[in-house]
Amino acid sequence: MIFLVLSGPSLEENLKTLNQCRNHIDGAELRADFLDNPFAEDIAGFFRRLPGLPLILTLRRPRDGGRLALPEDERERLFLRCINAGDFRYVDIEEDAHLPAVEARAREKGAQIIRSFHDFEGVPEDLAARVRSLARQEGDIPKAAVMPKSCRGLERIIDAARELSGFKKILLGMGEYGFATRALAAKLGSYLTFASSGEEEPAPGLVSAKTLDEVYRCRKQGPETRVFGIIGRPILHSRSPHIHNAAYARLRIDAVYVPFHIDSVQSFLPVMKKLGVRGLSVTSPFKEDIMPFCSHLEDAAKIIGACNTVVSGDEGLWGYNTDAEGFLAPLVERFPGGLSGLNAAVIGAGGAARSAVYALMSSGSNVLVLNRTKARAEKLAKDMALSFGEGQKSVLYAGLDREGFLLLDDYRGLIVNATTLGMHPHEDEDPLAGHDFRGDETLYDMVYSPRETLFLKRAALKGCSRVYGEEMLLAQAHRQFFLHTGESLHTVPAHGAHGGKT
Ligand code: NAP
């Protein structure tokens, strides 16, 4: 179940928020500690306008992350005022709070007690035992909100969830490492998960009700739901979950794809195993780190030196690189005669450049690599020359300087930006600033956020053909989806593919 956290300054504001999110939630938590004037609010009137929606009453103290800086007897008075005026389905009382009158009145009115504890510093070793000990009476719901600060912390939450399977509880991780526990709440057996109202997440880990419902389909998950995901750091603003989850929904696949903010591949592997993650997308900075953990690597990944897709099977992890194929996909239409013999330039020498050079050379193009740090361009060119051996195609390199610009004229059939220039937050930067296009070039920007970079805007003014990074992003996701699920994505429109990161 998805419960919306109501943290507005007045009940009127909270009602507006509720009405906006109503279709995406099963209930709400009234954080009465956020109300500007809680003693003056019309709680009974609030309930009259909300028939049937289960509500949790919470009056959090500052030490538990709340705003109610009142002496405990005043807090008790406010609790009783709210409980008497409204039909709360649940009342949240912290594990160490001594409020017998509140508990008694809540039970009299048929509310269940949520007995909560919060750890903002980490995840206790004995989390499962702590949760078990919280319930004092039959019907109480224990709640633990803890702050994993590494994959190890996340693993502890998963261990506790497994140990407490079948036991009614709310068990959630906070922060970036805890995000997966919120998106996978039903799969992990948490009674409910909390959500914010906004499109934008107000804090790392707290995601909007619409996103939890529509993207992660929290209300449809069950123990059998297959888990896929993307590992990276940072990762919570990745657009990949929007692409993959939309495709599962469209093809009616019982699966969910979640972002995992991780500290290292090694420490993530136990999490992967315990959650039964079937496949991963891998992004910065782990595309190389994952390779030693793969028992099989396809040639493209070996030659490019990076793996962006992993499939977990009986024989271990299989590693792939879908960037090269994704890179080529939009060029099929632009170059109907093929790329053989084309003179193409790639600007950059990082992972994206390596996949572009590999893809172009595999297709028979001659490539010029230009990079700010010439030594990296040299290394890339030499690595590729060694991998492809002597043949019809060649690879040259130069710095991103006068020498490079002179060579560029002969390689302008296709010019690829594989640097981070132009990408948010470097929107006003152009990898070829000062270089005039003639108008007969095809320009390909691997950057996809923003869609129209300065590089492509300048190209448009000269009448050049353009290829958008977003086209590659979708094409590489198509192959990942196929590797993960064995199903084809070609008929699925990729909703939400604009902006963000892989
Ligand atoms: P990376 O490994 O960090 O490489 C960054 C490259 O940018 C390096 O060649 C670096 O040059 C160059 N660079 C950075 N700042 C520069 C500056 N001020 N002036 C000149 N050159 C500069 O990054 P990556 O993983 O290859 O990714 C590059 C871009 O491709 C990113 O925007 C990424 O989002 C995009 N990408 C898109 C897709 C897609 O599906 N569309 C897939 C993968 C990547 P030095 O070597 O001199 O530092």
Side-chain angles (χ1 to χ4, degrees), residues 348-352 371-373 376 418-421 423 446-448 469 473:
N371 194 47
R372 175 180 62 177
T373 310
R376 284 189 83 196
T419 73
T420 45
L421 297 187
M423 183 174 83
M446 291 176 76
V447 169
Y448 49 82
L473 175 69

Side-chain angles (χ1 to χ4, degrees), residues 315-330:
E315 294 168 43
L317 301 182
W318 291 60
Y320 303 86
N321 189 310
T322 65
D323 278 343
E325 194 173 308
F327 174 83
L328 289 176

Side-chain angles (χ1 to χ4, degrees), residues 316-478:
L317 301 182
W318 291 60
Y320 303 86
N321 189 310
T322 65
D323 278 343
E325 194 173 308
F327 174 83
L328 289 176
L331 297 178
V332 173
E333 258 179 34
R334 277 27 174 237
F335 295 88
L339 297 170
S340 185
L342 179 78
N343 282 359
V346 174
I347 309 158
R354 289 185 77 89
S355 54
V357 175
Y358 170 83
L360 288 165
M361 289 183 73
S362 307
S363 309
S365 302
N366 302 306
V367 183
L368 168 68
V369 184
L370 299 181
N371 194 47
R372 175 180 62 177
T373 310
K374 191 174 171 184
R376 284 189 83 196
E378 179 179 5
K379 165 124 181 48
L380 199 177
K382 288 190 169 163
D383 285 353
M384 292 297 163
L386 204 66
S387 299
F388 283 91
E390 296 290 317
Q392 296 301 307
K393 53 217 173 257
S394 67
V395 53
L396 287 184
Y397 65 89
L400 199 51
D401 50 22
R402 205 177 132 69
E403 179 207 0
F405 285 4
L406 283 175
L407 287 168
L408 188 59
D409 203 44
D410 282 340
Y411 285 81
R412 65 178 195 278
L414 174 68
I415 303 177
V416 181
N417 175 31
T419 73
T420 45
L421 297 187
M423 183 174 83
H424 176 78
H426 306 288
E427 281 98 338
D428 55 353
E429 293 180 307
D430 180 337
L432 288 183
H435 173 83
D436 276 335
F437 300 123
R438 293 179 183 227
D440 59 358
E441 301 92 338
T442 295
L443 296 188
Y444 191 147
D445 204 333
M446 291 176 76
V447 169
Y448 49 82
S449 175
R451 183 171 192 270
E452 283 295 340
T453 57
L454 192 53
F455 179 69
L456 290 184
K457 281 182 194 157
R458 277 207 307 126
L461 289 177
K462 284 288 181 157
C464 305
S465 306
R466 285 159 297 155
V467 185
Y468 292 91
E470 183 186 84
E471 297 174 66
M472 171 180 170
L473 175 69
L474 292 179
Q476 66 80 28
H478 284 187

Side-chain angles (χ1 to χ4, degrees), residues 480-498:
Q480 284 190 332
F481 186 85
F482 178 73
L483 289 167
H484 286 167
T485 65
E487 306 251 8
S488 170
L489 191 56
H490 285 288
T491 52
V492 182
H495 299 295
H498 295 262

Side-chain angles (χ1 to χ4, degrees), residues 185-198:
K187 164 102 188 157
L188 288 172
S190 180
Y191 183 57
L192 55 84
T193 185
F194 292 100
S196 71
S197 59

